[in-house]
Amino acid sequence: DAGVIQSPRHEVTEMGQEVTLRCKPISGHDYLFWYRQTMMRGLELLIYFNNNVPIDDSGMPEDRFSAKMPNASFSTLKIQPSEPRDSAVYFCASSHTGAGGNIQYFGAGTRLSVL
Amino acid sequence: AQSVSQHNHHVILSEAASLELGCNYSYGGTVNLFWYVQYPGQHLQLLLKYFSGDPLVKGIKGFEAEFIKSKFSFNLRKPSVQWSDTAEYFCAVERQLTFGSGTQLTVLP
């Protein structure tokens, strides 16, 4: 398996623009997580899904952020409108239930810069 | 709510020195514990995990961690660090991983 795939790897945009980050989890995994990493706040869980259903979105900073998982192999994190303080590295991770589960496998991340 | 504390924000060691990074968590029930490592410019990777059984767990690259339930601790150790161990290390708890703030380790050649 190719692992968790995120795109784009880097995104530079201007304040006010819409940004969409994409994630393809590992096939067969039933959990998907979105994290944000900044120097100031470290690694923060934004939202996670189980079987494509959002379970906990309490980490989503505000209404400008939204996440969807239309099927088991794809998820998006959207920021509209984007602001400079949204600049961070966004990681997607997936895991599966069962023996040997609970281990999260991370994607390479999307480095977002909002000017 | 569960929380994870990593007391050392930045540790600087010389090669061959011994390493111990502290991790304490606050959660009264059964816990699954993890250490993840993030090498410069890379994503997080699992270093080792504890689910149950022997409280001394061994991970990749010579790392080990000991779960001490009475102290709510899961400290990471390595007898002799290498320059290539320079990275950020995160302790985490449970499925919906609650991460500590991370410890940046710099190993001087």
Side-chain angles (χ1 to χ4, degrees):
Chain A
D1 199 305
V4 176
I5 299 172
Q6 290 186 247
S7 64
R9 291 293 312 276
H10 301 273
E11 177 79 38
V12 181
T13 190
E14 292 185 342
M15 183 174 62
Q17 296 299 307
E18 177 180 296
V19 175
T20 300
L21 311 181
R22 298 173 177 78
C23 175
K24 182 181 187 306
I26 293 173
S27 178
H29 282 192
D30 54 349
Y31 283 85
L32 184 139
F33 305 81
W34 281 101
Y35 292 89
R36 177 173 68 177
Q37 186 179 35
T38 61
M39 289 291 290
M40 293 296 293
R41 295 185 297 272
L43 199 61
E44 306 171 278
L45 176 66
L46 300 178
I47 185 172
Y48 77 96
F49 296 83
N50 178 221
N51 292 322
N52 313 336
V53 177
I55 303 301
D56 184 352
D57 65 354
S58 59
M60 297 284 263
E62 46 197 278
D63 292 345
R64 296 184 298 105
F65 286 69
S66 63
K68 294 183 179 179
M69 192 164 187
N71 57 63
S73 59
F74 184 66
S75 176
T76 59
L77 178 67
K78 186 176 293 187
I79 308 172
Q80 167 63 21
S82 58
E83 296 182 3
R85 61 194 168 116
D86 301 331
S87 298
V89 180
Y90 291 81
F91 289 104
C92 176
S94 70
S95 69
H96 67 89
T97 312
N102 299 353
I103 299 170
Q104 293 190 15
Y105 296 85
F106 285 78
T110 295
R111 182 173 295 277
L112 173 65
S113 298
V114 183
L115 307 178
Chain B
Q2 57 197 28
S3 66
V4 181
S5 297
Q6 290 182 242
H7 315 296
N8 315 104
H9 294 295
H10 195 175
V11 173
I12 301 175
L13 296 173
S14 297
E15 276 194 311
S18 65
L19 170 72
E20 181 159 4
L21 302 182
C23 173
N24 288 92
Y25 62 93
S26 63
Y27 186 68
T30 302
V31 292
N32 296 328
L33 298 157
F34 308 81
W35 275 97
Y36 281 82
V37 59
Q38 185 177 28
Y39 296 103
Q42 296 189 27
H43 58 92
L44 277 78
Q45 304 171 45
L46 181 69
L47 200 56
L48 50 78
K49 64 185 186 297
Y50 172 78
F51 290 168
S52 64
D54 188 344
L56 184 63
V57 293
K58 296 190 183 298
I60 60 172
K61 302 186 179 184
F63 285 90
E64 63 179 32
E66 184 173 13
F67 170 55
I68 303 179
K69 188 174 181 179
S70 60
K71 295 184 178 180
F72 296 90
S73 70
F74 190 56
N75 292 353
L76 181 70
R77 301 193 292 246
K78 186 171 184 179
S80 176
V81 295
Q82 301 173 315
W83 177 81
S84 58
D85 294 324
T86 295
E88 189 151 17
Y89 292 82
F90 294 89
C91 182
V93 175
E94 284 298 326
R95 177 191 300 279
Q96 179 187 331
L97 288 187
T98 302
F99 282 90
S101 55
T103 297
Q104 175 64 48
L105 171 65
T106 300
V107 180
L108 304 175

